[in-house]
Amino acid sequence: MTEFAHRVEQVSISGIRKVFEAAGDDAINLGIGQPDFPTPAHARRGAIEAIESGLTDAYTSNKGTHSLREAISAKYERDYGLEIDPEDVIATSGGSEALHLVLQAHVDPGEEVIFPDPGFVSYDALTKIADGTPKPVPLREDLTLDPATVEEAITDDTAVFVVNSPANPTGAVQSEDDMREFARIADEHDVLCLSDEVYEHIVFEGTHHPPMQFAETDNVVTVSACSKTYSMTGWRLGWVVGSNRRIERMLRVHQYGQACASAPAQYAAEAALTGPQEPVDEMVDAFEQRRDVVLDGLEDAGLEVPKPEGAFYVMPKVPEGWCDEVLDRGVVVVPGDAFGANGEGYARLSYATSTEQLKEALEIIDEATQAVR
């Protein structure tokens, strides 16, 4: 009798989804990981014009349209001075598929994948689906990932380590020195560094530095997407960048599982990348203002909060029973242990909602905090 695959039986429904399902319809949602801004008009027009011109009726190249991959290559040259051959890019169905491709192409059964804990929920699940062994590692007090911790965790069985900056769920941004160290570790230990840079442009202090800038080998693969930068989560358009030999292996997974990313989304992404970037700047400015409102409110409630420098999340330390109390009062937050065992005692709040709703939520949070102390 056919049973379910062990690698799937190891994976459960995300703790984030469980929180959403428990919340009332009129709850203030500080749990959702998507910008509340519209997709830029020029990106929408890119899709509409392509549809009306009949460009989206057929499959594109498995890797994506050449013009999109040229736009992605130009973006890396413009932003980081990196020369990327368009043949070394695959357009994917969101950043999630890009992560899946990297792990499927590089992880054999039982091999280890090192990732931050607390960290994005997909790292653990996608490692298990690849039949690998998850190896979560703790963060520093400021919720950044210490390169020394990663290096100490590497064994002969390690295939990949994951770096995520700016980070979900913490909002932490790794320093340039850290990124140089991650590149060195990948080079010296001959282990793949998977750099998840989906939030790369949502940085409030400092600058994002991709590990690929500093690598001397091809042991860094970069994943990014239009989802957060251009408020295009529903368009499902991401990409993976790496050396040609790595891209060709990932393509073998992509072409059978997906064939190609959605054609309308590819044209929208091309327009987003090549068009005016002012909507991105405006969105980032708004997120920074909201972050400051949320930090002040949480600190006034008496909570200890590591200051996030990017993305649109904050992760305060919270007393026992806090998440349930806040949820019962109509504000959706995500318990920190949904992101790994080391997230226990924390909660993740997203400030991708209006300032008015944030202020209302903070009043409720203050009351809830006093109630559980």
Side-chain angles (χ1 to χ4, degrees):
M1 181 176 176
T2 302
E3 299 291 342
F4 295 110
H6 173 67
R7 62 183 179 278
V8 174
E9 290 294 86
Q10 294 181 88
V11 178
S12 59
I13 297 300
S14 163
I16 302 173
R17 178 176 165 183
K18 291 177 182 177
V19 170
F20 289 167
E21 291 175 348
D25 292 338
D26 58 348
I28 300 173
N29 194 342
L30 304 188
I32 195 160
Q34 67 177 5
D36 60 321
F37 295 87
T39 298
H42 62 278
R44 294 181 179 184
R45 282 196 305 272
I48 291 168
E49 291 172 4
I51 291 168
E52 291 180 339
S53 300
L55 297 175
T56 61
D57 296 345
Y59 295 121
T60 71
S61 161
N62 290 135
K63 289 184 179 179
T65 67
H66 195 266
S67 56
L68 170 59
R69 288 181 284 122
E70 285 184 323
I72 293 169
S73 298
K75 165 219 155 11
Y76 282 96
E77 173 67 33
R78 178 177 69 241
D79 293 344
Y80 309 118
L82 287 167
E83 293 186 9
I84 305 295
D85 189 323
E87 290 302 309
D88 296 343
V89 179
I90 301 175
T92 61
S93 294
S96 298
E97 193 215 349
L99 293 172
H100 178 66
L101 298 185
V102 177
L103 295 180
Q104 288 292 330
H106 292 91
V107 178
D108 271 329
E111 288 190 323
E112 298 168 346
V113 177
I114 297 168
F115 53 82
D117 178 3
F120 182 42
V121 294
S122 289
Y123 303 146
D124 180 85
L126 290 176
T127 296
K128 291 172 179 174
I129 290 171
D131 215 8
T133 301
K135 195 169 187 180
V137 295
L139 304 177
R140 297 167 171 142
E141 279 297 310
D142 66 356
L143 301 183
T144 58
L145 179 63
D146 190 341
T149 301
V150 172
E151 191 162 24
E152 289 168 5
I154 291 173
T155 71
D156 290 342
D157 294 324
T158 303
V160 178
F161 69 89
V162 180
V163 176
N164 177 211
S165 178
N168 176 9
T170 64
V173 176
Q174 300 289 150
S175 68
E176 179 178 352
D177 286 345
D178 283 348
M179 293 305 215
R180 287 183 181 276
E181 276 295 282
F182 290 132
R184 178 195 63 78
I185 291 166
D187 289 339
E188 292 187 5
H189 292 270
D190 197 22
V191 170
L192 187 71
C193 171
L194 194 177
S195 183
D196 180 351
E197 302 177 16
V198 167
Y199 296 88
E200 62 182 309
H201 291 294
I202 308 177
V203 179
F204 312 131
E205 281 91 28
T207 306
H208 171 66
H209 297 279
M212 192 173 280
Q213 279 186 309
F214 312 116
E216 296 180 1
T217 68
D218 73 343
N219 287 345
V220 176
V221 167
T222 301
V223 164
S224 195
C226 287
S227 303
K228 315 299 181 177
T229 299
Y230 298 104
S231 194
M232 292 175 65
T233 54
W235 294 82
R236 309 311 304 135
L237 197 291
W239 58 82
V240 58
V241 174
S243 68
N244 191 258
R245 71 184 184 114
R246 297 192 186 279
I247 287 294
E248 292 302 320
R249 268 65 174 191
M250 288 184 270
L251 185 63
R252 298 176 191 179
V253 181
H254 174 69
Q255 68 180 356
Y256 293 114
Q258 192 65 33
C260 64
S262 161
Q266 291 189 53
Y267 286 101
E270 180 184 342
L273 290 165
T274 58
Q277 300 301 299
E278 286 81 5
V280 178
D281 297 334
E282 292 168 4
M283 187 172 67
V284 173
D285 287 345
F287 282 143
E288 184 172 9
Q289 293 171 21
R290 294 176 188 179
R291 178 204 61 176
D292 293 342
V293 168
V294 171
L295 283 178
D296 288 344
L298 294 175
E299 289 171 352
D300 288 347
L303 297 174
E304 182 181 341
V305 193
K307 184 179 181 180
E309 296 183 345
F312 38 74
Y313 307 109
V314 61
M315 207 166 187
K317 291 184 178 180
V318 297
E320 186 176 353
W322 186 90
C323 291
D324 288 338
E325 185 71 25
V326 170
L327 186 62
D328 288 345
R329 291 170 183 259
V331 176
V332 177
V333 298
V334 183
D337 60 8
F339 303 97
N342 291 319
E344 185 173 359
Y346 290 85
R348 189 194 78 171
L349 286 68
S350 165
Y351 43 90
T353 190
S354 69
T355 301
E356 292 73 21
Q357 281 211 314
L358 289 172
K359 289 180 177 179
E360 182 181 350
L362 288 166
E363 291 180 6
I364 295 170
I365 284 170
D366 182 60
E367 296 168 359
T369 303
Q370 308 319 311
V372 298
R373 285 198 184 280

